[in-house]
Amino acid sequence: MKKAKAAIFDAGPGTIRLQSVELPHPQGKEIRVKNAYTTLCSSDLKTYSGDRKEANPTILGHEVCGIIDSFGPDAPRQDENGQVINQGDLVTWAVFASPKDDPQSGAGRPQKAKGLFKYGHERHTSACSWHGGLAEYTILRPDSLVLKVKKEVPLPVAALANCAVATMVGALRIADGLMGRHVLVSGAGTLGLVGCALCKAAGAASITVAEPDEHRRAMSRQFGADKVFAPEQLSGAFDLVFETSGMPSSMENTLETLAIGGKAIWVGAVFPQRKLNLSAEQLIRKLHTIKGLHNYNRADFIQAVGFLEQFHSQFPFEKLIQREFPLSEVTQAFEYATSEKPFRAGVRI
Ligand SMILES: [Zn+2]
């Protein structure tokens, strides 16, 4: 059997080994994809540093795009948009593959279905592999959400679709309408900047960013922010707050800037942290709503790819990938990303 390379992560920093692994032909409904580009998401970095526990050994990387290499005999020949897919097409796929008959899938929450398969998060074994972006191939399972991506979208930008962009599309969906709203984006990392671009495209009346880092504040203007503040200087009254930093103090402080009837959408806090200190009385008297979102659903994913196809050249998404590495230097990519904290480190496969 043909072999190909996969970056096998064991547990903790410095435990990634590039290994030759047997590469099976796709079976049944599987589709085999030659991975093209993977960006390191902050959850990859938290797993690498040990702040997050995943099954191991594993193949990390879930912000990924690739080129269709071959189809299993029963594999679908259309993507989630109904477009015909062929060998050689650029595609991306949702981070989860969920059983469609699960009640959570039926309720529009496929990311919480039982029996979910999660790319970049599964245990690598001889019987089950090729499920992470930091490898030469991915074998897409049945029930994966696959979308063709126009080849005009640069590979590093296409890679952002299935985690950062789809998550922020989901955040805007649960905000119920951006047109004419005054928006605060808390945190100008990748999620925050993508959020600015989405809010701009969706017709927000104004976009304000709260972010401690000066470079990130400057970047946010290029993604549509009208006003930028260091968090301690923040002022204003906002209809919507998108909290992307996940810092408890940011969630607490930005709630105080919500106007009457405002909504806070929290997407950043996906790691263990202290409990929050909130005033229930203020929440009630000001008619506030707080909503959380983890990952995204099928419609969000479709919209994310459509957004990048339409707007990839209107916002400088490529600048988010601050340094690029080949797969053979994947450990250096993680070391760079954890020490320098770029928006994204990219791995060209
Ligand atoms: Zn991610």
Side-chain angles (χ1 to χ4, degrees):
M1 197 184 286
K2 179 181 168 179
K3 286 190 167 187
K5 293 217 158 46
I8 311 294
F9 170 74
D10 209 338
T15 65
I16 296 184
R17 302 275 178 270
L18 209 58
Q19 293 181 12
S20 283
V21 178
E22 287 193 343
L23 178 69
H25 288 289
Q27 308 292 310
K29 294 180 176 175
E30 293 173 350
I31 300 174
R32 194 169 79 180
V33 175
K34 177 92 175 65
N35 292 338
Y37 207 98
T38 300
T39 39
L40 303 186
C41 167
S42 53
S43 64
D44 290 314
L45 304 183
K46 288 204 161 56
T47 305
Y48 180 79
S49 64
D51 292 341
R52 224 181 112 115
K53 295 280 171 251
E54 292 289 351
N56 54 41
T58 186
I59 304 172
L60 295 173
H62 56 272
E63 257 186 7
V64 54
C65 62
I67 305 289
I68 293 180
D69 166 74
S70 51
F71 291 88
D74 307 315
R77 296 303 183 114
Q78 289 189 336
D79 75 356
E80 289 297 314
N81 263 328
Q83 294 188 89
V84 173
I85 45 175
N86 287 305
Q87 192 180 35
D89 284 341
L90 175 63
V91 290
T92 183
W93 49 96
V95 65
F96 52 83
S98 306
K100 292 200 168 55
D101 55 359
D102 184 275
Q104 294 288 1
S105 300
R109 298 186 291 263
Q111 72 270 44
K112 297 295 166 187
K114 276 210 177 75
L116 179 93
F117 185 93
K118 232 172 154 189
Y119 292 99
H121 297 74
E122 301 285 335
R123 185 184 300 275
H124 158 78
T125 66
S126 56
C128 179
S129 185
W130 304 110
H131 37 52
L134 293 171
E136 288 185 298
Y137 290 86
T138 296
I139 294 179
L140 299 175
R141 270 59 185 173
D143 295 325
S144 294
L145 304 179
V146 180
L147 283 171
K148 190 166 160 174
V149 184
K150 287 184 181 152
K151 286 194 171 163
E152 301 91 275
V153 182
L155 294 177
V157 179
L160 298 172
N162 73 342
C163 188
V165 180
T167 299
M168 289 312 296
V169 168
L172 267 73
R173 168 175 52 84
I174 63 173
D176 298 325
L178 269 289
M179 189 61 80
R181 304 278 179 199
H182 295 280
V183 176
L184 172 66
V185 176
S186 168
T190 304
L191 284 177
L193 296 185
V194 167
C196 288
L198 285 164
C199 289
K200 189 78 179 172
S206 70
I207 302 166
T208 301
V209 165
E211 160 62 47
D213 182 85
E214 195 180 343
H215 169 64
R216 291 186 168 205
R217 285 201 297 273
M219 272 291 269
S220 62
R221 289 196 181 274
Q222 299 182 40
F223 283 81
D226 303 296
K227 293 180 197 166
V228 296
F229 290 98
E232 63 278 10
Q233 282 154 4
L234 178 65
S235 67
F238 304 99
D239 303 311
L240 290 168
V241 172
F242 293 100
E243 209 301 311
T244 69
S245 78
M247 302 293 292
S249 58
S250 296
M251 286 180 275
E252 290 161 353
N253 294 338
T254 56
L255 264 189
E256 293 179 12
T257 68
L258 264 187
I260 289 173
K263 287 184 190 136
I265 313 293
W266 289 351
V267 297
V270 286
F271 44 90
Q273 51 186 242
R274 72 162 169 84
K275 292 189 176 176
L276 299 181
N277 189 5
L278 303 181
S279 163
E281 188 201 354
Q282 287 298 303
L283 184 96
I284 292 166
R285 288 188 186 280
K286 292 185 175 173
L287 316 180
H288 286 167
T289 305
I290 302 173
K291 291 186 177 183
L293 180 72
H294 182 220
N295 295 146
Y296 51 86
N297 67 22
R298 177 178 176 275
D300 300 331
F301 179 49
I302 292 173
Q303 205 184 323
V305 170
F307 173 77
L308 285 181
E309 287 182 337
Q310 190 180 349
F311 290 98
H312 67 89
S313 58
Q314 292 187 35
F315 299 98
F317 293 106
E318 275 176 287
K319 285 190 188 171
L320 297 178
I321 293 82
Q322 289 175 266
R323 203 170 145 194
E324 183 177 293
F325 297 82
L327 183 61
S328 59
E329 293 176 15
V330 63
T331 297
Q332 290 92 319
F334 273 99
E335 291 297 327
Y336 161 74
T338 44
S339 65
E340 301 298 317
K341 306 198 183 339
F343 294 106
R344 284 290 186 267
V347 179
R348 196 173 284 271
I349 310 294

